[in-house]
Amino acid sequence: MAFATKNRQLLSRIATNDRPGENSPYFEGWKAYDSNPFHPTQNPDGVIQMGLAENQLCFDLIKKWILKNPQASICTAEGVDKFKDISIFQDYHGQKEFREAVAKFMGRVGGNMVTFDPNRIVMSGGATGANETVMFCLADPGDAFLVPSPYYPAFLRDLRWRTGLEIVPVDCNSSNNFRITRAALEEAYERAQRLNINVKGVIIANPSNPLGTTLDRETMRSLVSFINEKNIHLVCDEIYAASVFSSPRFISVAEIIQDMDCNRDLIHIVYSLSKDMGFPGFRVGIVYSFNDLVVHCARKMSSFGLVSSQTQYLLASMLSDEEFVENFLKESSQRLAKRHRVFTHGLEQVGISCLKGNAGLFSWMDMRPLLKEQTVEGEMELWRVIVNEVKLNVSPGSSFQCSEPGWFRVCFANMDDEIVEIALDRIGKFVRQGKEEDVAPKKPKRWQKKLHYLFCCCR
Amino acid sequence: MAALSKIAAGNGHGENSPYFDGWKAYETNPFHPTDRPEGVIQMGLAENQLCFDFIKKWLMKHPEASLCTAEGVNKFKETALFQDYHGMPEFRQAIAKFMGKVRGDRVKFDPDRIVMSGGATGAHEMVTFCLADPGEAFLVPTPYYPGFDRDLRWRTGVELVPVICESSNNFKITRNALEAAYEKAQEDNIRVKGLLITNPSNPLGTILDRETLKSIVSFINEKNIHLIGDEIYAATVFMEPEFVSISEIIEEVECNRDLIHIVYSLSKDMGFPGFRVGIVYSYNDALVSCTRKMSSFGLVSSQTQHLIASMLSDDDFVDNFIIKSKKKLFKRHEYFTWSLSQVGIGSLKSNAGLFIWMDLRKLLKAKTFEAEMDLWQVIIHEVKLNVSPGSSFHCHEPGWFRVCFANMDDDTMETALLRIRDFMRKNNAAMIPHNKLCRRSSLKLSFSRRVDDFMSPGIMSPHSPLPQSPLVRARS
């Protein structure tokens, strides 16, 4: 033990704090899944992974394209002559064709309402690296960013861990569908002021994770006007931009500022191909800033997390194929819409409603009626039952810093249709059981007994 | 405008140093044998371009290594989705095996200690974030790679304290020098957390002998500070003495292994800087765990992990590659240093790396760094070679220059050597005292031997000028 302590003292403060956040209950669900993962034939009683926002619906289209375009690879007969040039290319500006293709893709995803400048495209190690890089450029240790809640749990790590920044949540709640109101922004800003915290900006995810909704034009304009007045930065994580599957359409901040008087040096976009294309493994993060200094600084910083030139080359080819992109985006949107419809309808059938969503790879499920108590503890109790008994890894709202207990994010795009059905079936059974027990003579609910057992045995 | 961060507003990125003037000169006027024969030849870029033909052959024989061939496309989906920061097991195993082979299989590396990062650039920054707090420092023997100033300091707030090494003993890292640097830091109230060595050395092109390594390990052990060994050039050791890794030394010397860490990459040994394959290998479990979490900021593309896993687990290929690479480096180095000696230019005796440490002290007008800069401006703008001045490597003595020789084909190298010859001919006239001028005929300089005398038949690299690109930032 003494040695372990001595060991820890050898490392830095950053190495020994808990900002990576992996001790949170959020990861219990992961562990439950990892130790007992569902498989339709080999482990049909295993835990179904519904905590992973992945887009697995369109790989057939991608596979077809790949087989038709061998020149996109530096390892095929058609492409190998490029191998040397590509493998030695480490210029932090990135391949020109890659930047052009990404800029064009972002424009197309934004409905061609904006043209993105390839010279503002800066690479990073996934959106994870992009968000961190932007923070390093905009704020000093101890400064803070306002973040509307509920928000992506890993922001706690990405925005704060190595940068030393703080997050000040902007409370949004279900009374108005978690809208980001001017009042909430002002309240958060003033709260920070009272605590002597220097607010450097606001960071939003649009479309929202975990809500699965897009911000309307009015809210966007109000946000831009807020940050402009306060002279603070606005960072828009638009990583789910192409996952919008029903109206209203996606409106990028790049589009909003075209019609607004605002200081463009305050506007920055983070993007990635992890969600829209389904390529999280390829680590394609993008920083797009309207501020020249930030572009230059982020570009130098990108040395710490450039996109592999092999991957740049492949994606440059794929994303500059306009026909492919057009078709892909259309199909992806349709398939997401269908999956969303099937899933939310299935939930409705058993009396579970979701926030009305039009984007993302997940639904924001309202389980408040099932809580024993309307508290975070009540939510965690229910969650443990869902993970360990219903055997679905869903994500509790508290892990997204949601201010109201009872909401859960459920991902639906990382599995095939059959598994969706099985998951809905399990949920249905669980809800019906709960109802039956409600009308039966009072005895400890089965899941309460099991919960007691669980608490005794786990951790 | 709302201010940016201090990090953004400062100069920590290091690009305002004169070092980059050479780059700019090259960028605005890059050499091309036919299009621009008077352009600047790039000799400031430590790239290994000698073995691509061999790699190309392997690729053609292994379509399954790519996700984009008929043979490999069924792996596309699972690979594109794979973002686990543990990295692909096959990738880690292949890297661990490769690292072992590069060290003559004298050590075994544990795949579970392999942690990915965004190139060695990302690896160094990540290790620094985990070992030191802002204001603390690492000792670094001079001369050292200029990128360390950015990689270790910029966003981390950590300082570097130089350990002065001198030409009088071939830039050896002495115990005295280490102690002196450590004490100076103490006097300045700077807390030293570790020592960073690059072995083989950039820019020296030499390896650390066993005695020095043992002395270093014993030093850090006594002071209870970390030792980070950047072994990025490990497979470029082309001649005796054999490379000795820290991983071997700690098998022979008592030390606290929690202090021992290796940074590695495929950028130099394989010639793949574009693929951003950085590796942290630590003997400290807590550090492995922490850096693994941090690697999320710079994971290796799964597409690239897949390719590399396939390539480096082919034992036959790897064994042959390592041998071929060394042979080509040896020949290139021999011919280059011999040609320089023919015109009176010496260099530090070296057996590794992609460059030599050229001694131009006698060409300096004065023994000062200003004189070094003057000479360097002449070399860039008149001789039209981008070489790197020793001061950019924090060399303690003026007059040394790093010259890279593995990033060009034979013809370009000949052109570079001819320019050097012409320059020396002019300069020898200036350097030679009056009473020797009548002997000018003896100064006929010619290369009586050609590169072919040094190269085996059949190794004529295809011409491959560097692409004209915006300002290149290389790990050079």
Side-chain angles (χ1 to χ4, degrees), chain A residues 3 10 12-13 22 63 66 81 84 87 91-92 136-137 140 281 308-311, chain B residues 5-6 15 52 56 74 76 80 85 129-130 133 226 258 274 301-304 464 473:
Chain A
F3 177 73
L10 283 178
S12 66
R13 285 193 289 269
E22 290 189 22
K63 187 171 166 177
I66 292 211
D81 285 340
K84 176 177 165 177
S87 61
D91 180 349
Y92 64 28
F136 268 124
C137 290
D140 296 319
S308 167
S309 53
Q310 176 191 21
T311 302
Chain B
S5 64
K6 294 194 182 85
E15 290 188 20
F52 278 104
K56 189 171 165 175
N74 286 333
F76 188 94
Y85 61 31
F129 266 123
C130 290
D133 293 324
H226 294 279
D258 281 335
S301 166
S302 53
Q303 176 190 22
T304 301
S464 54
R473 283 293 159 263

mmCIF file of all heavy atoms in Angstrom, chain A residues 3 10 12-13 22 63 66 81 84 87 91-92 136-137 140 281 308-311, chain B residues 5-6 15 52 56 74 76 80 85 129-130 133 226 258 274 301-304 464 473:
data_model
loop_
_atom_site.group_PDB
_atom_site.id
_atom_site.type_symbol
_atom_site.label_atom_id
_atom_site.label_comp_id
_atom_site.label_asym_id
_atom_site.label_seq_id
_atom_site.Cartn_x
_atom_site.Cartn_y
_atom_site.Cartn_z
ATOM 1 N N PHE A 3 3.834 1.431 -1.001
ATOM 2 C CA PHE A 3 4.501 1.521 -2.288
ATOM 3 C C PHE A 3 3.584 2.136 -3.326
ATOM 4 O O PHE A 3 3.990 2.974 -4.125
ATOM 5 C CB PHE A 3 4.966 0.133 -2.747
ATOM 6 C CG PHE A 3 5.599 0.182 -4.094
ATOM 7 C CD1 PHE A 3 6.864 0.723 -4.277
ATOM 8 C CD2 PHE A 3 4.915 -0.276 -5.216
ATOM 9 C CE1 PHE A 3 7.436 0.794 -5.542
ATOM 10 C CE2 PHE A 3 5.491 -0.217 -6.471
ATOM 11 C CZ PHE A 3 6.744 0.319 -6.634
ATOM 12 N N LEU A 10 4.827 9.725 -7.601
ATOM 13 C CA LEU A 10 5.783 9.895 -8.674
ATOM 14 C C LEU A 10 5.137 10.573 -9.869
ATOM 15 O O LEU A 10 5.824 11.110 -10.719
ATOM 16 C CB LEU A 10 6.302 8.523 -9.143
ATOM 17 C CG LEU A 10 7.339 7.833 -8.285
ATOM 18 C CD1 LEU A 10 7.670 6.480 -8.893
ATOM 19 C CD2 LEU A 10 8.597 8.670 -8.154
ATOM 20 N N SER A 12 2.189 13.076 -11.941
ATOM 21 C CA SER A 12 1.759 14.464 -11.836
ATOM 22 C C SER A 12 0.367 14.553 -11.214
ATOM 23 O O SER A 12 -0.320 13.554 -11.047
ATOM 24 C CB SER A 12 1.708 15.070 -13.235
ATOM 25 O OG SER A 12 0.688 14.409 -13.973
ATOM 26 N N ARG A 13 -0.059 15.788 -10.943
ATOM 27 C CA ARG A 13 -1.411 15.989 -10.409
ATOM 28 C C ARG A 13 -2.448 15.564 -11.457
ATOM 29 O O ARG A 13 -3.456 14.947 -11.143
ATOM 30 C CB ARG A 13 -1.622 17.458 -10.034
ATOM 31 C CG ARG A 13 -0.915 17.860 -8.735
ATOM 32 C CD ARG A 13 -1.413 19.209 -8.234
ATOM 33 N NE ARG A 13 -0.961 20.315 -9.059
ATOM 34 C CZ ARG A 13 0.159 21.002 -8.847
ATOM 35 N NH1 ARG A 13 0.941 20.697 -7.821
ATOM 36 N NH2 ARG A 13 0.509 21.988 -9.630
ATOM 37 N N GLU A 22 -13.487 8.030 -14.930
ATOM 38 C CA GLU A 22 -13.910 6.655 -15.177
ATOM 39 C C GLU A 22 -14.383 5.945 -13.925
ATOM 40 O O GLU A 22 -14.707 4.770 -13.963
ATOM 41 C CB GLU A 22 -12.769 5.891 -15.859
ATOM 42 C CG GLU A 22 -12.587 6.391 -17.287
ATOM 43 C CD GLU A 22 -11.631 5.543 -18.087
ATOM 44 O OE1 GLU A 22 -11.418 4.376 -17.718
ATOM 45 O OE2 GLU A 22 -11.090 6.064 -19.080
ATOM 46 N N LYS A 63 -19.206 -0.235 -48.080
ATOM 47 C CA LYS A 63 -18.492 -1.405 -48.608
ATOM 48 C C LYS A 63 -18.568 -1.410 -50.127
ATOM 49 O O LYS A 63 -17.569 -1.635 -50.828
ATOM 50 C CB LYS A 63 -19.133 -2.663 -48.016
ATOM 51 C CG LYS A 63 -18.414 -3.952 -48.318
ATOM 52 C CD LYS A 63 -19.016 -5.103 -47.487
ATOM 53 C CE LYS A 63 -18.543 -6.454 -48.041
ATOM 54 N NZ LYS A 63 -19.023 -7.595 -47.239
ATOM 55 N N ILE A 66 -16.241 1.164 -51.595
ATOM 56 C CA ILE A 66 -14.843 0.773 -51.457
ATOM 57 C C ILE A 66 -14.425 -0.200 -52.537
ATOM 58 O O ILE A 66 -13.354 -0.063 -53.149
ATOM 59 C CB ILE A 66 -14.609 0.163 -50.070
ATOM 60 C CG1 ILE A 66 -14.769 1.259 -49.030
ATOM 61 C CG2 ILE A 66 -13.268 -0.516 -49.994
ATOM 62 C CD1 ILE A 66 -13.947 1.125 -47.821
ATOM 63 N N ASP A 81 1.143 3.133 -55.797
ATOM 64 C CA ASP A 81 2.175 4.093 -56.213
ATOM 65 C C ASP A 81 2.143 5.366 -55.379
ATOM 66 O O ASP A 81 3.089 6.143 -55.373
ATOM 67 C CB ASP A 81 2.041 4.434 -57.694
ATOM 68 C CG ASP A 81 2.541 3.287 -58.564
ATOM 69 O OD1 ASP A 81 3.312 2.432 -58.044
ATOM 70 O OD2 ASP A 81 2.162 3.216 -59.751
ATOM 71 N N LYS A 84 4.218 5.714 -50.881
ATOM 72 C CA LYS A 84 5.357 6.425 -50.318
ATOM 73 C C LYS A 84 5.023 7.874 -49.999
ATOM 74 O O LYS A 84 5.202 8.343 -48.871
ATOM 75 C CB LYS A 84 6.517 6.350 -51.294
ATOM 76 C CG LYS A 84 7.724 7.138 -50.833
ATOM 77 C CD LYS A 84 8.857 6.970 -51.799
ATOM 78 C CE LYS A 84 9.908 8.040 -51.536
ATOM 79 N NZ LYS A 84 11.073 7.892 -52.398
ATOM 80 N N SER A 87 2.645 8.024 -47.008
ATOM 81 C CA SER A 87 3.145 7.600 -45.699
ATOM 82 C C SER A 87 4.188 8.558 -45.138
ATOM 83 O O SER A 87 4.413 8.593 -43.935
ATOM 84 C CB SER A 87 3.702 6.178 -45.756
ATOM 85 O OG SER A 87 4.770 6.120 -46.665
ATOM 86 N N ASP A 91 2.571 16.860 -42.904
ATOM 87 C CA ASP A 91 2.317 18.301 -42.872
ATOM 88 C C ASP A 91 1.050 18.581 -42.075
ATOM 89 O O ASP A 91 -0.015 18.037 -42.388
ATOM 90 C CB ASP A 91 2.165 18.780 -44.314
ATOM 91 C CG ASP A 91 1.902 20.267 -44.448
ATOM 92 O OD1 ASP A 91 1.624 20.932 -43.422
ATOM 93 O OD2 ASP A 91 1.951 20.761 -45.581
ATOM 94 N N TYR A 92 1.149 19.393 -41.057
ATOM 95 C CA TYR A 92 -0.021 19.632 -40.205
ATOM 96 C C TYR A 92 -1.116 20.447 -40.886
ATOM 97 O O TYR A 92 -2.191 20.615 -40.316
ATOM 98 C CB TYR A 92 0.334 20.177 -38.834
ATOM 99 C CG TYR A 92 0.999 21.540 -38.737
ATOM 100 C CD1 TYR A 92 0.813 22.555 -39.678
ATOM 101 C CD2 TYR A 92 1.822 21.822 -37.648
ATOM 102 C CE1 TYR A 92 1.417 23.776 -39.537
ATOM 103 C CE2 TYR A 92 2.439 23.055 -37.484
ATOM 104 C CZ TYR A 92 2.233 24.034 -38.437
ATOM 105 O OH TYR A 92 2.842 25.244 -38.291
ATOM 106 N N PHE A 136 -7.752 24.596 -25.221
ATOM 107 C CA PHE A 136 -6.384 25.062 -25.015
ATOM 108 C C PHE A 136 -6.153 26.405 -25.691
ATOM 109 O O PHE A 136 -5.370 27.219 -25.221
ATOM 110 C CB PHE A 136 -5.372 24.053 -25.580
ATOM 111 C CG PHE A 136 -4.884 23.021 -24.596
ATOM 112 C CD1 PHE A 136 -5.008 21.657 -24.876
ATOM 113 C CD2 PHE A 136 -4.269 23.391 -23.406
ATOM 114 C CE1 PHE A 136 -4.539 20.692 -23.972
ATOM 115 C CE2 PHE A 136 -3.794 22.426 -22.505
ATOM 116 C CZ PHE A 136 -3.940 21.085 -22.793
ATOM 117 N N CYS A 137 -6.830 26.609 -26.807
ATOM 118 C CA CYS A 137 -6.633 27.862 -27.552
ATOM 119 C C CYS A 137 -7.390 29.031 -26.957
ATOM 120 O O CYS A 137 -6.979 30.180 -27.123
ATOM 121 C CB CYS A 137 -7.087 27.698 -29.005
ATOM 122 S SG CYS A 137 -6.032 26.623 -29.982
ATOM 123 N N ASP A 140 -7.591 29.781 -20.206
ATOM 124 C CA ASP A 140 -6.484 29.441 -19.320
ATOM 125 C C ASP A 140 -6.994 28.590 -18.161
ATOM 126 O O ASP A 140 -8.187 28.585 -17.859
ATOM 127 C CB ASP A 140 -5.844 30.717 -18.765
ATOM 128 C CG ASP A 140 -5.215 31.571 -19.848
ATOM 129 O OD1 ASP A 140 -4.586 30.983 -20.760
ATOM 130 O OD2 ASP A 140 -5.359 32.804 -19.801
ATOM 131 N N GLY A 281 -13.343 4.851 -35.300
ATOM 132 C CA GLY A 281 -11.986 4.291 -35.225
ATOM 133 C C GLY A 281 -10.967 5.078 -36.027
ATOM 134 O O GLY A 281 -9.764 5.016 -35.769
ATOM 135 N N SER A 308 -4.244 10.171 -39.516
ATOM 136 C CA SER A 308 -3.327 9.333 -40.293
ATOM 137 C C SER A 308 -3.463 9.675 -41.769
ATOM 138 O O SER A 308 -4.576 9.756 -42.299
ATOM 139 C CB SER A 308 -3.655 7.855 -40.082
ATOM 140 O OG SER A 308 -2.978 7.060 -41.036
ATOM 141 N N SER A 309 -2.327 9.866 -42.429
ATOM 142 C CA SER A 309 -2.359 10.241 -43.838
ATOM 143 C C SER A 309 -3.025 9.162 -44.692
ATOM 144 O O SER A 309 -3.637 9.462 -45.719
ATOM 145 C CB SER A 309 -0.937 10.497 -44.349
ATOM 146 O OG SER A 309 -0.110 9.383 -44.066
ATOM 147 N N GLN A 310 -2.923 7.927 -44.249
ATOM 148 C CA GLN A 310 -3.587 6.829 -44.956
ATOM 149 C C GLN A 310 -5.101 7.057 -44.938
ATOM 150 O O GLN A 310 -5.795 6.877 -45.937
ATOM 151 C CB GLN A 310 -3.241 5.500 -44.270
ATOM 152 C CG GLN A 310 -3.937 4.295 -44.857
ATOM 153 C CD GLN A 310 -3.792 3.035 -43.998
ATOM 154 O OE1 GLN A 310 -3.512 3.095 -42.814
ATOM 155 N NE2 GLN A 310 -4.002 1.890 -44.611
ATOM 156 N N THR A 311 -5.588 7.468 -43.779
ATOM 157 C CA THR A 311 -7.012 7.707 -43.608
ATOM 158 C C THR A 311 -7.446 8.987 -44.312
ATOM 159 O O THR A 311 -8.529 9.047 -44.917
ATOM 160 C CB THR A 311 -7.348 7.761 -42.102
ATOM 161 O OG1 THR A 311 -6.950 6.525 -41.511
ATOM 162 C CG2 THR A 311 -8.823 7.984 -41.860
ATOM 163 N N SER B 5 -6.210 32.105 -25.192
ATOM 164 C CA SER B 5 -5.493 31.671 -23.999
ATOM 165 C C SER B 5 -4.046 32.174 -24.048
ATOM 166 O O SER B 5 -3.550 32.574 -25.100
ATOM 167 C CB SER B 5 -5.492 30.155 -23.940
ATOM 168 O OG SER B 5 -4.772 29.652 -25.056
ATOM 169 N N LYS B 6 -3.375 32.074 -22.909
ATOM 170 C CA LYS B 6 -1.961 32.453 -22.861
ATOM 171 C C LYS B 6 -1.157 31.505 -23.742
ATOM 172 O O LYS B 6 -0.218 31.914 -24.432
ATOM 173 C CB LYS B 6 -1.439 32.376 -21.413
ATOM 174 C CG LYS B 6 -2.065 33.391 -20.494
ATOM 175 C CD LYS B 6 -1.279 33.517 -19.178
ATOM 176 C CE LYS B 6 -1.918 34.501 -18.224
ATOM 177 N NZ LYS B 6 -3.001 33.942 -17.383
ATOM 178 N N GLU B 15 7.810 28.148 -33.356
ATOM 179 C CA GLU B 15 8.016 28.303 -34.797
ATOM 180 C C GLU B 15 8.599 29.640 -35.181
ATOM 181 O O GLU B 15 8.808 29.909 -36.355
ATOM 182 C CB GLU B 15 6.700 28.049 -35.530
ATOM 183 C CG GLU B 15 6.320 26.582 -35.453
ATOM 184 C CD GLU B 15 5.122 26.250 -36.320
ATOM 185 O OE1 GLU B 15 4.825 27.025 -37.246
ATOM 186 O OE2 GLU B 15 4.490 25.208 -36.070
ATOM 187 N N PHE B 52 11.167 1.980 -49.559
ATOM 188 C CA PHE B 52 9.760 1.893 -49.954
ATOM 189 C C PHE B 52 9.490 0.832 -51.015
ATOM 190 O O PHE B 52 8.384 0.291 -51.085
ATOM 191 C CB PHE B 52 9.237 3.258 -50.375
ATOM 192 C CG PHE B 52 8.825 4.095 -49.199
ATOM 193 C CD1 PHE B 52 9.617 5.132 -48.743
ATOM 194 C CD2 PHE B 52 7.650 3.807 -48.525
ATOM 195 C CE1 PHE B 52 9.241 5.881 -47.635
ATOM 196 C CE2 PHE B 52 7.258 4.550 -47.412
ATOM 197 C CZ PHE B 52 8.059 5.592 -46.969
ATOM 198 N N LYS B 56 6.450 -1.754 -50.768
ATOM 199 C CA LYS B 56 5.475 -1.837 -51.860
ATOM 200 C C LYS B 56 5.290 -3.296 -52.279
ATOM 201 O O LYS B 56 4.160 -3.769 -52.478
ATOM 202 C CB LYS B 56 6.001 -1.000 -53.024
ATOM 203 C CG LYS B 56 5.031 -0.784 -54.158
ATOM 204 C CD LYS B 56 5.612 0.236 -55.141
ATOM 205 C CE LYS B 56 4.844 0.192 -56.467
ATOM 206 N NZ LYS B 56 5.303 1.242 -57.405
ATOM 207 N N ASN B 74 -14.224 -7.085 -45.669
ATOM 208 C CA ASN B 74 -15.157 -7.590 -44.650
ATOM 209 C C ASN B 74 -14.777 -7.180 -43.239
ATOM 210 O O ASN B 74 -15.558 -7.310 -42.310
ATOM 211 C CB ASN B 74 -15.278 -9.116 -44.736
ATOM 212 C CG ASN B 74 -16.093 -9.525 -45.950
ATOM 213 O OD1 ASN B 74 -16.951 -8.756 -46.408
ATOM 214 N ND2 ASN B 74 -15.818 -10.688 -46.497
ATOM 215 N N PHE B 76 -13.897 -4.065 -42.762
ATOM 216 C CA PHE B 76 -14.006 -2.611 -42.752
ATOM 217 C C PHE B 76 -14.863 -2.111 -41.598
ATOM 218 O O PHE B 76 -14.459 -1.249 -40.820
ATOM 219 C CB PHE B 76 -14.559 -2.089 -44.088
ATOM 220 C CG PHE B 76 -14.503 -0.587 -44.186
ATOM 221 C CD1 PHE B 76 -13.418 0.038 -44.788
ATOM 222 C CD2 PHE B 76 -15.505 0.209 -43.636
ATOM 223 C CE1 PHE B 76 -13.338 1.429 -44.856
ATOM 224 C CE2 PHE B 76 -15.437 1.596 -43.690
ATOM 225 C CZ PHE B 76 -14.348 2.207 -44.304
ATOM 226 N N ALA B 80 -13.591 0.170 -38.604
ATOM 227 C CA ALA B 80 -13.989 1.585 -38.607
ATOM 228 C C ALA B 80 -14.690 1.961 -37.301
ATOM 229 O O ALA B 80 -14.646 3.112 -36.867
ATOM 230 C CB ALA B 80 -14.909 1.869 -39.792
ATOM 231 N N TYR B 85 -9.481 2.536 -26.545
ATOM 232 C CA TYR B 85 -8.145 3.097 -26.337
ATOM 233 C C TYR B 85 -7.100 2.065 -25.909
ATOM 234 O O TYR B 85 -5.924 2.392 -25.832
ATOM 235 C CB TYR B 85 -8.172 4.308 -25.401
ATOM 236 C CG TYR B 85 -8.677 4.116 -23.980
ATOM 237 C CD1 TYR B 85 -8.533 2.921 -23.277
ATOM 238 C CD2 TYR B 85 -9.269 5.186 -23.314
ATOM 239 C CE1 TYR B 85 -8.978 2.793 -21.973
ATOM 240 C CE2 TYR B 85 -9.715 5.081 -21.995
ATOM 241 C CZ TYR B 85 -9.570 3.876 -21.334
ATOM 242 O OH TYR B 85 -10.001 3.763 -20.030
ATOM 243 N N PHE B 129 2.724 15.260 -19.439
ATOM 244 C CA PHE B 129 1.519 15.597 -18.677
ATOM 245 C C PHE B 129 1.365 14.669 -17.470
ATOM 246 O O PHE B 129 0.857 15.083 -16.424
ATOM 247 C CB PHE B 129 0.268 15.449 -19.544
ATOM 248 C CG PHE B 129 -0.191 16.700 -20.217
ATOM 249 C CD1 PHE B 129 -0.335 16.744 -21.603
ATOM 250 C CD2 PHE B 129 -0.515 17.836 -19.493
ATOM 251 C CE1 PHE B 129 -0.779 17.901 -22.239
ATOM 252 C CE2 PHE B 129 -0.964 19.002 -20.125
ATOM 253 C CZ PHE B 129 -1.089 19.023 -21.505
ATOM 254 N N CYS B 130 1.774 13.437 -17.633
ATOM 255 C CA CYS B 130 1.555 12.451 -16.572
ATOM 256 C C CYS B 130 2.661 12.400 -15.524
ATOM 257 O O CYS B 130 2.458 11.863 -14.444
ATOM 258 C CB CYS B 130 1.386 11.060 -17.177
ATOM 259 S SG CYS B 130 -0.151 10.873 -18.080
ATOM 260 N N ASP B 133 4.279 18.385 -13.151
ATOM 261 C CA ASP B 133 3.317 19.471 -13.025
ATOM 262 C C ASP B 133 3.907 20.728 -13.665
ATOM 263 O O ASP B 133 5.125 20.830 -13.840
ATOM 264 C CB ASP B 133 3.013 19.742 -11.553
ATOM 265 C CG ASP B 133 2.269 18.583 -10.901
ATOM 266 O OD1 ASP B 133 1.438 17.953 -11.584
ATOM 267 O OD2 ASP B 133 2.540 18.302 -9.713
ATOM 268 N N HIS B 226 12.386 10.331 -13.008
ATOM 269 C CA HIS B 226 12.055 9.441 -14.118
ATOM 270 C C HIS B 226 13.110 9.449 -15.196
ATOM 271 O O HIS B 226 13.844 10.420 -15.356
ATOM 272 C CB HIS B 226 10.720 9.875 -14.736
ATOM 273 C CG HIS B 226 9.563 9.706 -13.809
ATOM 274 N ND1 HIS B 226 8.943 8.485 -13.609
ATOM 275 C CD2 HIS B 226 8.934 10.585 -12.999
ATOM 276 C CE1 HIS B 226 7.980 8.626 -12.718
ATOM 277 N NE2 HIS B 226 7.946 9.881 -12.334
ATOM 278 N N ASP B 258 9.575 1.647 -11.825
ATOM 279 C CA ASP B 258 8.488 2.611 -11.979
ATOM 280 C C ASP B 258 8.988 3.944 -12.525
ATOM 281 O O ASP B 258 8.200 4.836 -12.826
ATOM 282 C CB ASP B 258 7.802 2.856 -10.633
ATOM 283 C CG ASP B 258 6.832 1.737 -10.295
ATOM 284 O OD1 ASP B 258 6.336 1.072 -11.235
ATOM 285 O OD2 ASP B 258 6.568 1.528 -9.106
ATOM 286 N N GLY B 274 3.670 9.913 -41.664
ATOM 287 C CA GLY B 274 2.286 10.310 -41.941
ATOM 288 C C GLY B 274 1.259 9.478 -41.199
ATOM 289 O O GLY B 274 0.129 9.914 -40.971
ATOM 290 N N SER B 301 -5.240 5.745 -35.955
ATOM 291 C CA SER B 301 -6.383 5.372 -36.784
ATOM 292 C C SER B 301 -6.471 3.850 -36.860
ATOM 293 O O SER B 301 -5.473 3.171 -37.123
ATOM 294 C CB SER B 301 -6.222 5.936 -38.197
ATOM 295 O OG SER B 301 -7.147 5.332 -39.088
ATOM 296 N N SER B 302 -7.667 3.328 -36.646
ATOM 297 C CA SER B 302 -7.824 1.873 -36.653
ATOM 298 C C SER B 302 -7.483 1.287 -38.019
ATOM 299 O O SER B 302 -7.019 0.145 -38.115
ATOM 300 C CB SER B 302 -9.256 1.495 -36.266
ATOM 301 O OG SER B 302 -10.182 2.180 -37.086
ATOM 302 N N GLN B 303 -7.690 2.071 -39.066
ATOM 303 C CA GLN B 303 -7.319 1.616 -40.409
ATOM 304 C C GLN B 303 -5.809 1.364 -40.453
ATOM 305 O O GLN B 303 -5.338 0.355 -40.990
ATOM 306 C CB GLN B 303 -7.690 2.689 -41.442
ATOM 307 C CG GLN B 303 -7.275 2.372 -42.870
ATOM 308 C CD GLN B 303 -7.432 3.537 -43.820
ATOM 309 O OE1 GLN B 303 -7.466 4.691 -43.407
ATOM 310 N NE2 GLN B 303 -7.497 3.255 -45.111
ATOM 311 N N THR B 304 -5.056 2.260 -39.860
ATOM 312 C CA THR B 304 -3.606 2.144 -39.828
ATOM 313 C C THR B 304 -3.157 1.049 -38.862
ATOM 314 O O THR B 304 -2.225 0.307 -39.149
ATOM 315 C CB THR B 304 -2.981 3.505 -39.450
ATOM 316 O OG1 THR B 304 -3.397 4.478 -40.417
ATOM 317 C CG2 THR B 304 -1.461 3.445 -39.441
ATOM 318 N N SER B 464 12.311 10.979 -56.440
ATOM 319 C CA SER B 464 11.108 11.267 -55.666
ATOM 320 C C SER B 464 11.245 12.616 -54.978
ATOM 321 O O SER B 464 11.567 12.692 -53.815
ATOM 322 C CB SER B 464 10.894 10.203 -54.608
ATOM 323 O OG SER B 464 12.073 10.096 -53.820
ATOM 324 N N ARG B 473 5.697 20.787 -41.416
ATOM 325 C CA ARG B 473 6.166 20.684 -40.040
ATOM 326 C C ARG B 473 6.487 19.233 -39.791
ATOM 327 O O ARG B 473 5.611 18.410 -39.676
ATOM 328 C CB ARG B 473 5.101 21.129 -39.058
ATOM 329 C CG ARG B 473 4.978 22.623 -38.983
ATOM 330 C CD ARG B 473 6.215 23.279 -38.384
ATOM 331 N NE ARG B 473 6.266 24.677 -38.774
ATOM 332 C CZ ARG B 473 6.970 25.152 -39.788
ATOM 333 N NH1 ARG B 473 7.712 24.339 -40.517
ATOM 334 N NH2 ARG B 473 6.944 26.409 -40.099
#
